[in-house]
Amino acid sequence: MNPRKRLRSLMQEPDRIIQTVGAHNALGAKLVEQHGFDAVWASGFEISTAHAKPDANILTMVEFLEAARQMTDATHLPIIADCDTGFGNVNNVIRMVRDYEKAGIAAVCIEDKVFPKMNSFIPGFQTLAPKDEFSAKIRAAKDTQRDPDFVVIARVESLIAGHGMEESLERAAAYEEAGADLILIHSKQKDPGEIFEFSRRWNSDTPLVIVPTTYPSITLTEMIEHNVKMVIYANQALRAAVKAMNQVLAQLKESGSLLAIQDQLSPMDQLFELQGLKDMIKQEEQYRRQEVR
Ligand code: SPV
Ligand code: MG
């Protein structure tokens, strides 16, 4: 099944949480697939970090798109692309949807902040876009898509920006009205309380997406009970990789010996497998046989 149809069919399954994991390149996406997750989040935070740049629209759309496109090449999973604020105004959103759709991306997510955005967990700095202006971006995105299975996620940042529950609910309703397929309600609280309250007061069939980075205690059962259709584990794989790399580099520097770190390394065979080396050798043999004939 093509990844967009797969995502649509997962969205239709009752009591099914779509477990999506953040990645910044093809390798990360492939590992997410191998571990049996449902979809990949082409995370702006991860892609920016992988370029050693702040998650603040320092990279351009082309760089984010290229990272997401490489993920579509490496896996069969739906790729959910974090597109920040849509890289500008409605005109940028129209170009964005055309290009992401052509690249085989299953879904785009845009957030209701002003360009350039700042990562949601950085204190201060958060400025929301006017509700009508952002609704227009959602309408432009939905009008632009050609494939009816392409998904547009509207991300509500008003809890993050401290504008409260009423405004968050109003914004979500406006974005739903504008055609959003899913509503991502973001929170930076240490517990899922405000997400639960939002869900209780969200009188709509449009399902919710959450990013529980700061409230890791939430369970899958609680998500199902609260109309959450998709959970995004946005950056844990990259943070685990940075921790492991730091540990191994520190030990190597201190000991001056590769022996000291051997047990912390993935075997080379595993990396050959991730590269797709077997397939390469097989295809080469196949064409050699044809040469000989
Ligand atoms: C990302 O992974 O880039 C996100 C999620 O947008 S967050 O870091 O929570 O903003
Ligand atoms: Mg982001």
Side-chain angles (χ1 to χ4, degrees), residues 41 43-45 55 82 84 111 117 119 155:
W41 169 245
S43 157
F45 171 84
D55 180 19
D82 175 7
D84 294 337
E111 62 194 78
K117 65 46 93 44
N119 182 269
R155 166 165 159 179

Side-chain angles (χ1 to χ4, degrees), residues 131 134-136 138-139 142 152-156 168-184 198 201-208 227:
K131 183 174 69 184
F134 188 73
S135 300
I138 297 293
R139 276 200 304 281
K142 291 306 292 177
V152 175
I153 304 174
R155 166 165 159 179
V156 179
S168 304
L169 287 159
E170 271 170 34
R171 281 177 173 262
Y175 308 156
E176 176 190 46
E177 170 84 26
D181 298 291
L182 293 159
I183 297 290
L184 191 163
F198 182 95
R201 296 180 57 187
W202 178 236
N203 287 320
S204 162
D205 291 335
T206 303
L208 302 177
N227 193 28

